[in-house]
């Protein structure tokens, strides 16, 4: 599965005949932000040093719409998303590599959006910027305008009702930390807990200490233990459709297609009519 790329392979491809477009999507979820503290500044981190040729992409403004009833990171307006990608130099006939500061969540959000809207060749730098051994640049490139036009797939996206149904008929994975799934803590959203029937599957357990994905065989075994088989319909949600995209990426590395509930818990928990389960039991 061409979903991830090593830093060594990326360095080789950047000197090739058709180098990939590089997107820097550094972003961090900070509970302190919800309390009014200053948010992580991805653009400042980019300006201080990035892989040469990379273009900064703002997750909150270009990979999501404004927060609201559809969650903290709802789908972006597709016309605006397409324009942002074209400004970054993205074209349908040129590969794209996305990276972030190492956690992989933000890069996975960009990967998922581009894949869902039809780009044929998008990969995430495994391990993010910390895995890069080459020089860094503080120069902001001005890429030639790309030609990418988003064309969303009919599959791969879940709304709240579809996620609820999938929790009964297939496997719905909750990518958040276990304590949030169990409802023991909730640092961001209105209430804690999980969608009834969803299975706890923290996306942090898909990577090793260095932030790189576990081997595909190990990931496949992990998801099998969570109830995923070859004929299982699989969906993923998280807090706001960011870390969930990272779990969809891990599933792709394991060879398992999965849909993403973008609204995720931030949308579900904001609706008092939606049922909430707490504790370790999915139900």
């Amino acid at each position: 599965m061409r979903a991830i790329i090593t830093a060594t392979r990326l360095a080789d491809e950047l000197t090739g005949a058709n180098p990939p477009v590089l997107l820097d999507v550094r972003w961090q979820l900070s509970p302190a932000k919800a309390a009014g503290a200053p948010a992580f500044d991805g653009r400042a981190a980019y300006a201080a040093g990035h892989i040469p040729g990379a273009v900064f992409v703002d997750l909150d403004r270009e990979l999501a719409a404004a927060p609201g009833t559809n969650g903290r990171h709802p789908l972006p307006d597709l016309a605006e998303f397409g324009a942002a990608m074209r400004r970054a130099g993205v074209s349908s006939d040129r590969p794209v590599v996305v990276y972030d500061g190492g956690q992989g969540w933000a890069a996975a959000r960009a990967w998922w959006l581009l894949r869902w809207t039809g780009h044929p060749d998008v990969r995430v730098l495994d391990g993010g910027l910390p895995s890069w051994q080459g020089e860094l640049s503080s120069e902001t490139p001005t890429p030639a305008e790309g030609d990418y036009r988003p064309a969303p797939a009919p599959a791969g996206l879940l709304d709240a009702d579809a996620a609820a149904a999938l929790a009964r008929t297939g496997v719905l994975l909750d990518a958040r930390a276990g304590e949030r799934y169990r409802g023991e803590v909730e640092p961001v959203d209105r209430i804690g807990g999980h969608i009834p029937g969803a299975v706890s599957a923290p996306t942090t357990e898909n990577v090793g200490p260095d932030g790189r994905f576990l081997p595909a065989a190990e990931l496949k075994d992990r998801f099998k233990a969570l109830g995923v088989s070859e004929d299982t319909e699989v969906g993923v949600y998280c807090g706001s459709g960011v870390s969930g995209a990272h779990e969809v990426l891990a599933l792709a590395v394991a060879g398992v297609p999965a849909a993403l509930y973008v609204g995720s818990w931030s949308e579900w928990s904001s609706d008092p009519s939606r049922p909430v389960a707490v504790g370790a039991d999915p139900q």
Side-chain angles (χ1 to χ4, degrees):
M1 176 70 186
R2 284 174 55 87
I4 58 177
I5 183 173
T6 66
T8 300
R9 179 65 182 269
L10 174 59
D12 289 342
E13 291 193 9
L14 288 174
T15 61
N18 187 32
V21 173
L22 272 177
L23 304 181
D24 182 313
V25 196
R26 272 179 276 182
W27 171 92
Q28 290 180 13
L29 172 64
S30 172
K33 179 182 177 183
F40 170 80
D41 190 340
R43 191 175 295 276
Y46 167 84
H50 51 267
I51 299 176
V55 176
F56 181 73
V57 173
D58 190 314
L59 185 149
D60 289 320
R61 293 176 175 81
E62 296 173 318
L63 304 182
T69 57
N70 291 327
R72 282 182 282 108
H73 290 104
L75 284 175
D77 176 88
L78 291 182
E80 293 179 7
F81 169 66
M85 293 299 97
R86 291 191 294 276
R87 286 195 301 271
V90 175
S91 293
S92 296
D93 62 351
R94 188 175 172 191
V96 177
V97 171
V98 190
Y99 72 88
D100 58 24
Q103 188 178 43
W105 296 3
R109 171 74 176 218
W111 168 86
W112 181 83
L113 271 170
L114 283 165
R115 292 292 296 150
W116 176 64
T117 57
H119 198 288
D121 190 352
V122 190
R123 289 163 291 170
V124 169
L125 175 59
D126 196 17
L129 187 61
S131 71
W132 178 254
Q133 299 299 309
E135 63 177 6
L136 297 179
S137 172
S138 59
E139 295 182 6
T140 301
T142 306
E145 182 88 0
D147 65 11
Y148 187 64
R149 302 286 173 180
L157 177 68
L158 300 172
D159 61 14
D161 290 338
L166 185 57
R168 297 189 299 269
T169 62
V171 175
L172 181 66
L173 301 176
D174 185 318
R176 298 173 300 157
E179 58 268 26
R180 292 184 69 189
Y181 170 89
R182 295 187 296 271
E184 297 166 358
V185 299
E186 182 43 65
V188 185
D189 295 311
R190 186 177 68 88
I191 55 174
H194 59 268
I195 297 173
V199 177
S200 180
T203 199
T204 52
E205 297 179 14
N206 295 320
V207 298
D210 59 0
R212 300 183 192 185
F213 281 105
L214 301 176
E218 291 185 26
L219 288 172
K220 189 171 184 178
D221 287 343
R222 181 190 184 221
F223 292 123
K224 183 178 180 180
L226 294 170
V228 175
S229 61
E230 291 183 0
D231 57 351
T232 306
E233 186 178 359
V234 182
V236 181
Y237 76 96
C238 57
S240 64
V242 180
S243 66
H246 189 262
E247 185 117 298
V248 173
L249 176 58
L251 284 155
V253 173
V256 179
L260 178 65
Y261 172 26
V262 173
S264 286
W265 188 248
S266 59
E267 177 185 55
W268 184 280
S269 64
S270 69
D271 183 350
S273 71
R274 297 283 179 187
V276 172
V278 296
D281 190 320
Q283 302 302 330

